[in-house]
Amino acid sequence: MAGNASAERAAQFERLAMDWAGKAGLGQPGAAELAQAFATLAVAARLDHLQRRLSVVGDQLNATKRGLEQVARGLSGT
């Protein structure tokens, strides 16, 4: 599932960000910038995952609405 891939990708970027943040704490040149870049990628992947999940919920709500409209039409006899 694509949403699951987004979450896995986010977790991978988060691990990389933490690794580079640790290296930055030890004074490795350029490590802080890499930690920030991977953290930004992790946030983007998490947002993608959230967007996909919300899209699924929206589709489910639309299907429920259509079903309820059919029931209402059946009860009203039209």
Side-chain angles (χ1 to χ4, degrees), residues 15-27 31-32 34-36:
R15 284 190 299 274
L16 288 167
M18 290 298 295
D19 290 346
W20 283 105
K23 292 175 185 178
L26 297 174
L34 284 170
Q36 185 177 12

Side-chain angles (χ1 to χ4, degrees), residues 4-72:
N4 193 28
S6 300
E8 290 171 10
R9 194 169 55 249
Q12 180 183 13
F13 287 139
E14 288 165 352
R15 284 190 299 274
L16 288 167
M18 290 298 295
D19 290 346
W20 283 105
K23 292 175 185 178
L26 297 174
Q28 184 171 342
E33 290 81 5
L34 284 170
Q36 185 177 12
F38 283 120
T40 301
L41 290 170
V43 169
R46 290 283 178 204
L47 288 174
D48 181 57
H49 180 68
L50 179 60
Q51 181 180 9
R52 289 173 190 274
R53 289 180 57 103
L54 288 174
S55 176
V56 168
V57 170
D59 292 346
Q60 291 171 341
L61 286 173
N62 283 331
T64 302
K65 179 183 174 193
R66 285 191 301 273
L68 289 173
E69 288 170 348
Q70 288 177 348
V71 169

